[in-house]
Amino acid sequence: MNLMDEYELTDVTNGEATHTSTRNGEILRSLIDFFITKATMADNLEIATDLATTSDHAIVCAHLRWDEGEGVKVSRKVTGWDIDGLKSEEEKENYEKAEKYWKDKSSGRPVLTEKSSGEELQKEAEWIQRNFVNHLNRCCKKVKVCARSKRWWNEEIAENRRILGSLKRARRRGEAMQQQIKKQRSNVRRIIRQSKTKMWQDFLSSATKNQVWQALRYTKPGGQQTTKALKSRDGVVAESWEDKAKLIKEEAFPKPVKGVERMAEEEGGGMWKMITDEDIRLALFDQSVKKAPGPDRLGFKAIRLLWEWDALRIIAIVKMSFRLGIHPQA
């Protein structure tokens, strides 16, 4: 315990059960594992008792928030746009103006065709990224996504985090004990778990139709199992993740026979012609809008908005990507 106090270490589990077993029909809980970390990092760690795994032990999850932290300047970088707000009834006039502006701007730029080259595909992707991001910056309210954007975040959690921050500052001044910080940190985690549990229960009680299957996917154990080894046509066995990825890539995009590289580039395959516009639409709208976007900030919610305004352009890009067997970088 002296080492824990001297180096300001803390046990993330806080005495919570990390192992469960059943004996004579009774569920027994015990603490056979514990996780020690620096006290300054403990706020980003918690026991995820709601995650299904192939093990009977609990998981320690890390929530890395780039917009929070002691002694760290909070970033004001915009990470997205309020697209739902733009499509609301109150912003209907602004939405129509934004749609008309984009259509006027893109109407003078030709859509890709079957004869388009890989260079033209790359330029088209770069043009859309640059111009659509600038357009969203003008017509949409900019937002910064952080932990407080979670639906389970409420005023009680915010207030208790403020208390925790005050105790930490008081501890540095020598006016508070580490035990007080530990107690308040446990209190914050308890309130967060209660909020998440309540939201989950509310979702289950009001789930209808397809939401029932959505709840099943949430509770179904994830892909924790190790995939079997793969064997190539030549009999080479791939066991590691890197070898499997390399083997799948070689099978999906085989190198052309020597001497016909130019013919393969010009003619390509014909499977891409079987992809319909509806296939592309379903693939786009089947993706979660909560997925983290890339550096360009164009997540699936933004791409769906572009689909509403300029579906033919997206369809052309997807089909040309399949035809040429490349993924444009933008």
Side-chain angles (χ1 to χ4, degrees):
M1 292 302 295
N2 291 335
L3 289 175
M4 298 278 286
D5 294 335
E6 180 179 354
Y7 293 98
E8 295 186 346
L9 301 176
T10 185
D11 177 15
V12 178
T13 60
N14 285 330
E16 299 176 16
T18 59
H19 177 76
T20 59
S21 59
T22 304
R23 182 181 301 171
N24 298 327
E26 181 182 359
I27 299 178
L28 304 178
R29 303 178 184 277
S30 60
L31 176 63
I32 63 174
D33 297 311
F34 58 94
F35 192 99
I36 295 177
T37 184
K38 292 285 290 183
T40 54
M41 275 293 297
D43 287 342
N44 297 327
L45 303 174
E46 66 178 11
I47 300 297
T49 55
D50 56 339
L51 291 181
T53 69
T54 55
S55 171
D56 57 356
H57 292 77
I59 295 178
V60 177
C61 289
H63 297 276
L64 302 179
R65 305 184 179 103
W66 52 264
D67 63 325
E68 297 180 2
E70 295 181 336
V72 179
K73 184 178 179 181
V74 177
S75 172
R76 300 299 177 187
K77 183 178 180 180
V78 176
T79 57
W81 305 274
D82 183 15
I83 295 177
D84 291 334
L86 176 66
K87 299 172 69 174
S88 65
E89 189 64 29
E90 294 77 7
E91 293 290 326
K92 184 177 181 180
E93 184 178 352
N94 187 31
Y95 175 87
E96 292 175 350
K97 289 181 180 179
E99 181 180 12
K100 183 178 183 303
Y101 178 88
W102 176 258
K103 289 183 176 179
D104 291 343
K105 184 178 183 64
S106 62
S107 61
R109 184 177 180 83
V111 178
L112 296 176
T113 67
E114 296 183 8
K115 298 181 179 180
S116 299
S117 64
E119 183 179 356
E120 290 173 323
L121 174 62
Q122 178 65 35
K123 289 182 178 179
E124 177 74 353
E126 293 175 352
W127 182 87
I128 289 180
Q129 174 194 304
R130 180 176 61 257
N131 288 276
F132 198 59
V133 167
N134 292 336
H135 183 50
L136 290 176
N137 286 336
R138 286 192 296 267
C139 68
C140 270
K141 178 183 177 182
K142 301 174 185 177
V143 296
K144 184 169 74 68
V145 180
C146 64
R148 301 174 188 83
S149 300
K150 299 293 185 181
R151 286 175 290 180
W152 47 261
W153 189 274
N154 55 42
E155 184 57 36
E156 184 181 9
I157 297 175
E159 177 60 27
N160 278 272
R161 280 188 59 83
R162 284 193 288 269
I163 296 174
L164 178 60
S166 299
L167 287 174
K168 288 180 178 180
R169 291 189 291 273
R171 175 72 174 85
R172 288 195 292 269
R173 297 193 302 267
E175 300 173 359
M177 302 294 292
Q178 182 64 30
Q179 190 64 27
Q180 294 176 274
I181 298 177
K182 184 177 180 179
K183 183 177 180 180
Q184 180 60 23
R185 185 183 292 118
S186 300
N187 190 42
V188 171
R189 291 179 185 150
R190 177 181 57 80
I191 296 173
I192 291 177
R193 285 196 300 271
Q194 289 176 347
S195 179
K196 289 181 177 180
T197 301
K198 182 179 183 303
M199 181 153 291
W200 173 245
Q201 292 173 345
D202 292 343
F203 171 73
L204 291 180
S205 62
S206 61
T208 58
K209 297 182 180 180
N210 292 336
Q211 290 182 335
V212 175
W213 302 110
Q214 184 179 356
L216 177 63
R217 289 196 298 269
Y218 288 158
T219 56
K220 187 177 180 181
Q224 302 287 336
Q225 298 81 7
T226 303
T227 58
K228 297 181 180 180
L230 302 178
K231 182 181 292 187
S232 68
R233 299 174 186 270
D234 301 330
V236 179
V237 178
E239 297 182 351
S240 67
W241 187 92
E242 292 80 6
D243 291 340
K244 292 176 184 177
K246 183 178 179 181
L247 177 59
I248 293 174
K249 179 181 177 181
E250 291 175 352
E251 288 293 325
F253 302 100
K255 295 181 180 180
V257 180
K258 187 175 181 180
V260 296
E261 290 89 345
R262 185 170 184 81
M263 182 183 300
E265 180 180 352
E266 292 177 352
E267 297 181 359
M271 290 295 292
W272 64 275
K273 296 180 180 180
M274 300 178 62
I275 302 174
T276 65
D277 299 354
E278 181 64 12
D279 290 334
I280 298 174
R281 189 192 70 81
L282 290 175
L284 172 59
F285 283 83
D286 189 50
Q287 302 298 318
S288 172
V289 295
K290 297 180 182 179
K291 291 181 180 292
D296 57 9
R297 296 175 285 148
L298 292 177
F300 281 107
K301 185 174 289 189
I303 297 176
R304 289 183 185 181
L305 179 64
L306 179 60
W307 174 276
E308 295 177 11
W309 294 349
D310 207 348
L312 292 179
R313 197 170 297 276
I314 295 181
I315 292 171
I317 287 181
V318 174
K319 289 188 175 182
M320 289 306 97
S321 297
F322 277 101
R323 180 177 73 84
L324 299 173
I326 61 176
H327 177 69
Q329 301 295 320

